[in-house]
Amino acid sequence: MPGNPWPHDMTMTVQDRPQALLELLWIREAHDLRPVGDDLPSALTDPPAPAASPVDAETRELWSEGWARIWSDVLAHSAVEHDQAMFDAVGDAEAGSVERESLLRQLIGPTWGDEFGHEVFDDDAYREWERRGFDSHVATRPGMLADSPEHRDVEALAAAWRRGLTTVVTIPCRDMHVRQVGPHTLLVTDEVRGDSVEYRKALAFFAVD
């Protein structure tokens, strides 16, 4: 279309509710974990209440030691690009079969529950925090695609796309946390994506030596 700055062949995926990452962020704060690692995200903008079912000190220490490693694994999977053939294979596999379970695991990727169990999310504090987050997400979504941050800052986005960007992952954390994940993915906070100046800076940072 004449005058349209969006390149006709550019496609972009925005993961703005990355469930496995959100679970990890909730666990870190609701259970007062103290993970150590490089380039970990800052605190949540909407801090959860303490877990309704707290764990003992030994378990908290074990979880703190494993958190950064699992975060890294989950974040790396968010940068994996699955082709349509993978989704077709899941649809074609027999329900309940080992093959279908294996394909789903490849699509979903690693989660906190793989190592420490999913029981931790059976918690009123988690359900309340997740509800607030979902409601806020729905309330702040642009009404029209043309009003999205990607259309707002399309020139910077297109420049990053030409350098290989295909996916933007956002997390609801404080400050201007920005991190490139693999050759095609950029992690930013909601605050960065919502601020045109900061988002353009983040996009300009992508894949620049």
Side-chain angles (χ1 to χ4, degrees), residues 80-118:
V80 174
E81 297 182 354
H82 299 289
D83 58 24
Q84 186 58 44
M86 172 68 79
F87 294 96
D88 293 342
V90 171
D92 293 340
E94 183 180 352
S97 67
V98 174
E99 178 191 8
R100 191 170 193 274
E101 179 64 24
S102 176
L103 290 168
L104 283 172
R105 291 304 308 152
Q106 291 179 55
L107 281 176
I108 295 170
T111 66
W112 177 266
D114 295 338
E115 186 165 339
F116 294 114
H118 297 280

Short mmCIF file of all heavy atoms in Angstrom, two decimals, residues 80-118:
data_model
loop_
_atom_site.label_atom_id
_atom_site.label_comp_id
_atom_site.label_asym_id
_atom_site.label_seq_id
_atom_site.Cartn_x
_atom_site.Cartn_y
_atom_site.Cartn_z
N VAL A 80 12.54 -19.97 20.46
CA VAL A 80 12.49 -21.04 19.47
C VAL A 80 11.33 -20.81 18.51
O VAL A 80 10.20 -20.57 18.94
CB VAL A 80 12.34 -22.42 20.16
CG1 VAL A 80 12.15 -23.52 19.13
CG2 VAL A 80 13.56 -22.71 21.02
N GLU A 81 11.60 -20.89 17.23
CA GLU A 81 10.56 -20.71 16.23
C GLU A 81 10.07 -22.07 15.75
O GLU A 81 10.85 -22.88 15.24
CB GLU A 81 11.10 -19.90 15.04
CG GLU A 81 11.53 -18.49 15.43
CD GLU A 81 12.02 -17.68 14.24
OE1 GLU A 81 12.14 -18.27 13.13
OE2 GLU A 81 12.29 -16.49 14.40
N HIS A 82 8.78 -22.34 15.94
CA HIS A 82 8.19 -23.60 15.50
C HIS A 82 7.49 -23.39 14.15
O HIS A 82 6.72 -22.44 14.00
CB HIS A 82 7.18 -24.10 16.53
CG HIS A 82 7.78 -24.37 17.87
ND1 HIS A 82 8.61 -25.44 18.11
CD2 HIS A 82 7.68 -23.71 19.05
CE1 HIS A 82 8.99 -25.44 19.38
NE2 HIS A 82 8.44 -24.39 19.96
N ASP A 83 7.74 -24.28 13.22
CA ASP A 83 7.08 -24.15 11.92
C ASP A 83 5.70 -24.79 11.97
O ASP A 83 5.34 -25.50 12.92
CB ASP A 83 7.93 -24.75 10.80
CG ASP A 83 8.25 -26.23 11.02
OD1 ASP A 83 7.49 -26.91 11.74
OD2 ASP A 83 9.26 -26.69 10.47
N GLN A 84 4.92 -24.56 10.94
CA GLN A 84 3.55 -25.05 10.90
C GLN A 84 3.50 -26.56 10.94
O GLN A 84 2.53 -27.15 11.45
CB GLN A 84 2.85 -24.54 9.63
CG GLN A 84 1.36 -24.88 9.56
CD GLN A 84 0.57 -24.34 10.73
OE1 GLN A 84 0.75 -23.19 11.13
NE2 GLN A 84 -0.32 -25.16 11.29
N ALA A 85 4.55 -27.20 10.44
CA ALA A 85 4.57 -28.67 10.43
C ALA A 85 4.48 -29.24 11.84
O ALA A 85 3.87 -30.30 12.05
CB ALA A 85 5.83 -29.16 9.73
N MET A 86 5.08 -28.55 12.81
CA MET A 86 5.03 -29.01 14.19
C MET A 86 3.59 -28.96 14.71
O MET A 86 3.10 -29.91 15.35
CB MET A 86 5.94 -28.16 15.06
CG MET A 86 5.83 -28.44 16.56
SD MET A 86 6.46 -30.06 17.05
CE MET A 86 8.22 -29.72 17.06
N PHE A 87 2.89 -27.87 14.46
CA PHE A 87 1.51 -27.75 14.90
C PHE A 87 0.61 -28.77 14.19
O PHE A 87 -0.29 -29.35 14.81
CB PHE A 87 0.99 -26.33 14.65
CG PHE A 87 1.69 -25.28 15.46
CD1 PHE A 87 2.75 -24.56 14.94
CD2 PHE A 87 1.29 -25.03 16.77
CE1 PHE A 87 3.40 -23.59 15.70
CE2 PHE A 87 1.93 -24.06 17.54
CZ PHE A 87 2.98 -23.35 17.00
N ASP A 88 0.89 -28.99 12.92
CA ASP A 88 0.11 -29.98 12.18
C ASP A 88 0.33 -31.37 12.75
O ASP A 88 -0.61 -32.18 12.86
CB ASP A 88 0.49 -29.96 10.70
CG ASP A 88 0.08 -28.68 10.00
OD1 ASP A 88 -0.79 -27.96 10.54
OD2 ASP A 88 0.64 -28.39 8.92
N ALA A 89 1.57 -31.66 13.15
CA ALA A 89 1.89 -32.97 13.70
C ALA A 89 1.16 -33.21 15.02
O ALA A 89 0.68 -34.31 15.29
CB ALA A 89 3.40 -33.11 13.89
N VAL A 90 1.06 -32.15 15.83
CA VAL A 90 0.33 -32.28 17.10
C VAL A 90 -1.14 -32.57 16.82
O VAL A 90 -1.77 -33.43 17.45
CB VAL A 90 0.46 -30.98 17.94
CG1 VAL A 90 -0.49 -31.03 19.14
CG2 VAL A 90 1.89 -30.81 18.41
N GLY A 91 -1.72 -31.86 15.84
CA GLY A 91 -3.12 -32.07 15.51
C GLY A 91 -3.39 -33.45 14.94
O GLY A 91 -4.47 -34.02 15.15
N ASP A 92 -2.41 -34.02 14.24
CA ASP A 92 -2.59 -35.32 13.61
C ASP A 92 -2.34 -36.48 14.57
O ASP A 92 -2.82 -37.59 14.33
CB ASP A 92 -1.65 -35.47 12.41
CG ASP A 92 -2.01 -34.52 11.27
OD1 ASP A 92 -3.16 -34.04 11.24
OD2 ASP A 92 -1.12 -34.24 10.44
N ALA A 93 -1.57 -36.22 15.64
CA ALA A 93 -1.22 -37.30 16.57
C ALA A 93 -2.45 -37.74 17.37
O ALA A 93 -3.33 -36.93 17.68
CB ALA A 93 -0.11 -36.84 17.51
N GLU A 94 -2.49 -38.98 17.71
CA GLU A 94 -3.62 -39.53 18.45
C GLU A 94 -3.69 -38.95 19.85
O GLU A 94 -2.68 -38.86 20.56
CB GLU A 94 -3.50 -41.05 18.53
CG GLU A 94 -4.67 -41.74 19.22
CD GLU A 94 -4.52 -43.24 19.28
OE1 GLU A 94 -3.56 -43.75 18.65
OE2 GLU A 94 -5.32 -43.90 19.96
N ALA A 95 -4.88 -38.53 20.27
CA ALA A 95 -5.06 -37.96 21.60
C ALA A 95 -4.62 -38.97 22.66
O ALA A 95 -4.98 -40.14 22.61
CB ALA A 95 -6.52 -37.59 21.82
N GLY A 96 -3.81 -38.50 23.61
CA GLY A 96 -3.35 -39.34 24.69
C GLY A 96 -2.15 -40.21 24.36
O GLY A 96 -1.66 -40.94 25.22
N SER A 97 -1.67 -40.13 23.13
CA SER A 97 -0.55 -40.97 22.72
C SER A 97 0.77 -40.41 23.22
O SER A 97 0.90 -39.22 23.51
CB SER A 97 -0.51 -41.10 21.20
OG SER A 97 -0.21 -39.85 20.60
N VAL A 98 1.77 -41.28 23.29
CA VAL A 98 3.12 -40.86 23.68
C VAL A 98 3.67 -39.86 22.67
O VAL A 98 4.33 -38.89 23.02
CB VAL A 98 4.06 -42.08 23.79
CG1 VAL A 98 5.49 -41.63 24.05
CG2 VAL A 98 3.59 -43.01 24.90
N GLU A 99 3.36 -40.11 21.38
CA GLU A 99 3.84 -39.21 20.33
C GLU A 99 3.29 -37.80 20.52
O GLU A 99 4.04 -36.81 20.42
CB GLU A 99 3.41 -39.73 18.97
CG GLU A 99 3.82 -38.82 17.81
CD GLU A 99 3.17 -39.20 16.49
OE1 GLU A 99 2.27 -40.08 16.50
OE2 GLU A 99 3.53 -38.60 15.47
N ARG A 100 2.00 -37.70 20.80
CA ARG A 100 1.39 -36.38 20.97
C ARG A 100 1.94 -35.68 22.21
O ARG A 100 2.21 -34.47 22.20
CB ARG A 100 -0.13 -36.49 21.08
CG ARG A 100 -0.85 -35.14 21.00
CD ARG A 100 -2.35 -35.33 20.85
NE ARG A 100 -2.99 -34.09 20.47
CZ ARG A 100 -3.39 -33.16 21.33
NH1 ARG A 100 -3.22 -33.35 22.63
NH2 ARG A 100 -3.96 -32.06 20.91
N GLU A 101 2.14 -36.43 23.29
CA GLU A 101 2.70 -35.86 24.51
C GLU A 101 4.10 -35.31 24.25
O GLU A 101 4.46 -34.24 24.71
CB GLU A 101 2.74 -36.91 25.61
CG GLU A 101 3.33 -36.43 26.92
CD GLU A 101 2.53 -35.34 27.59
OE1 GLU A 101 1.31 -35.24 27.32
OE2 GLU A 101 3.12 -34.58 28.39
N SER A 102 4.90 -36.07 23.50
CA SER A 102 6.26 -35.64 23.18
C SER A 102 6.25 -34.37 22.34
O SER A 102 7.04 -33.44 22.58
CB SER A 102 6.99 -36.75 22.44
OG SER A 102 8.28 -36.33 22.04
N LEU A 103 5.36 -34.30 21.36
CA LEU A 103 5.27 -33.11 20.51
C LEU A 103 4.82 -31.90 21.30
O LEU A 103 5.34 -30.78 21.12
CB LEU A 103 4.31 -33.37 19.35
CG LEU A 103 4.78 -34.36 18.28
CD1 LEU A 103 3.63 -34.75 17.37
CD2 LEU A 103 5.94 -33.74 17.48
N LEU A 104 3.86 -32.10 22.20
CA LEU A 104 3.39 -30.99 23.03
C LEU A 104 4.50 -30.48 23.93
O LEU A 104 4.63 -29.26 24.15
CB LEU A 104 2.19 -31.43 23.87
CG LEU A 104 0.85 -31.52 23.14
CD1 LEU A 104 -0.20 -32.17 24.03
CD2 LEU A 104 0.39 -30.15 22.69
N ARG A 105 5.32 -31.39 24.48
CA ARG A 105 6.42 -30.98 25.33
C ARG A 105 7.42 -30.12 24.54
O ARG A 105 7.97 -29.16 25.07
CB ARG A 105 7.14 -32.20 25.91
CG ARG A 105 6.32 -32.99 26.92
CD ARG A 105 5.84 -32.11 28.06
NE ARG A 105 6.92 -31.37 28.67
CZ ARG A 105 6.78 -30.21 29.28
NH1 ARG A 105 5.60 -29.62 29.34
NH2 ARG A 105 7.82 -29.63 29.84
N GLN A 106 7.63 -30.49 23.28
CA GLN A 106 8.54 -29.71 22.44
C GLN A 106 7.98 -28.31 22.21
O GLN A 106 8.74 -27.33 22.17
CB GLN A 106 8.76 -30.42 21.11
CG GLN A 106 9.54 -31.71 21.21
CD GLN A 106 9.70 -32.37 19.85
OE1 GLN A 106 10.19 -31.76 18.89
NE2 GLN A 106 9.26 -33.61 19.75
N LEU A 107 6.66 -28.22 22.02
CA LEU A 107 6.04 -26.91 21.79
C LEU A 107 6.04 -26.06 23.05
O LEU A 107 6.37 -24.88 23.03
CB LEU A 107 4.60 -27.09 21.29
CG LEU A 107 4.41 -27.45 19.83
CD1 LEU A 107 2.94 -27.70 19.55
CD2 LEU A 107 4.95 -26.33 18.93
N ILE A 108 5.66 -26.67 24.17
CA ILE A 108 5.53 -25.92 25.43
C ILE A 108 6.90 -25.55 25.99
O ILE A 108 7.10 -24.44 26.49
CB ILE A 108 4.75 -26.74 26.46
CG1 ILE A 108 3.31 -26.96 25.97
CG2 ILE A 108 4.75 -26.07 27.83
CD1 ILE A 108 2.53 -27.96 26.79
N GLY A 109 7.84 -26.47 25.89
CA GLY A 109 9.17 -26.21 26.42
C GLY A 109 9.25 -26.44 27.92
O GLY A 109 8.30 -26.89 28.55
N PRO A 110 10.39 -26.10 28.51
CA PRO A 110 10.59 -26.33 29.95
C PRO A 110 9.71 -25.42 30.80
O PRO A 110 9.37 -24.31 30.38
CB PRO A 110 12.07 -26.02 30.15
CG PRO A 110 12.41 -25.05 29.05
CD PRO A 110 11.56 -25.48 27.88
N THR A 111 9.35 -25.89 31.98
CA THR A 111 8.58 -25.10 32.93
C THR A 111 9.10 -25.37 34.34
O THR A 111 9.83 -26.34 34.57
CB THR A 111 7.08 -25.45 32.90
OG1 THR A 111 6.90 -26.80 33.38
CG2 THR A 111 6.50 -25.34 31.50
N TRP A 112 8.71 -24.51 35.25
CA TRP A 112 9.06 -24.71 36.66
C TRP A 112 8.55 -26.07 37.15
O TRP A 112 9.24 -26.79 37.88
CB TRP A 112 8.45 -23.60 37.49
CG TRP A 112 8.68 -23.75 38.97
CD1 TRP A 112 7.87 -24.33 39.89
CD2 TRP A 112 9.84 -23.29 39.69
NE1 TRP A 112 8.42 -24.28 41.14
CE2 TRP A 112 9.64 -23.64 41.05
CE3 TRP A 112 11.00 -22.63 39.33
CZ2 TRP A 112 10.57 -23.35 42.04
CZ3 TRP A 112 11.93 -22.33 40.32
CH2 TRP A 112 11.71 -22.69 41.65
N GLY A 113 7.35 -26.43 36.75
CA GLY A 113 6.73 -27.66 37.23
C GLY A 113 7.47 -28.92 36.84
O GLY A 113 7.34 -29.95 37.50
N ASP A 114 8.26 -28.87 35.75
CA ASP A 114 9.00 -30.05 35.33
C ASP A 114 9.95 -30.53 36.42
O ASP A 114 10.17 -31.73 36.58
CB ASP A 114 9.82 -29.76 34.06
CG ASP A 114 8.96 -29.45 32.86
OD1 ASP A 114 7.78 -29.86 32.86
OD2 ASP A 114 9.45 -28.79 31.94
N GLU A 115 10.52 -29.59 37.14
CA GLU A 115 11.52 -29.93 38.15
C GLU A 115 10.97 -29.92 39.57
O GLU A 115 11.33 -30.76 40.39
CB GLU A 115 12.71 -28.97 38.05
CG GLU A 115 13.86 -29.33 38.96
CD GLU A 115 15.14 -28.60 38.58
OE1 GLU A 115 15.24 -28.13 37.42
OE2 GLU A 115 16.03 -28.50 39.43
N PHE A 116 10.08 -28.96 39.86
CA PHE A 116 9.63 -28.79 41.24
C PHE A 116 8.13 -29.03 41.43
O PHE A 116 7.61 -28.83 42.53
CB PHE A 116 9.99 -27.38 41.73
CG PHE A 116 11.48 -27.16 41.84
CD1 PHE A 116 12.13 -26.25 41.03
CD2 PHE A 116 12.24 -27.87 42.77
CE1 PHE A 116 13.50 -26.04 41.13
CE2 PHE A 116 13.60 -27.67 42.88
CZ PHE A 116 14.24 -26.75 42.05
N GLY A 117 7.44 -29.41 40.37
CA GLY A 117 6.02 -29.73 40.49
C GLY A 117 5.12 -28.53 40.26
O GLY A 117 5.53 -27.38 40.46
N HIS A 118 3.90 -28.82 39.86
CA HIS A 118 2.93 -27.76 39.56
C HIS A 118 2.07 -27.39 40.77
O HIS A 118 1.28 -26.45 40.70
CB HIS A 118 2.02 -28.20 38.41
CG HIS A 118 2.74 -28.43 37.12
ND1 HIS A 118 3.10 -27.41 36.27
CD2 HIS A 118 3.21 -29.57 36.55
CE1 HIS A 118 3.74 -27.89 35.22
NE2 HIS A 118 3.82 -29.21 35.36
#
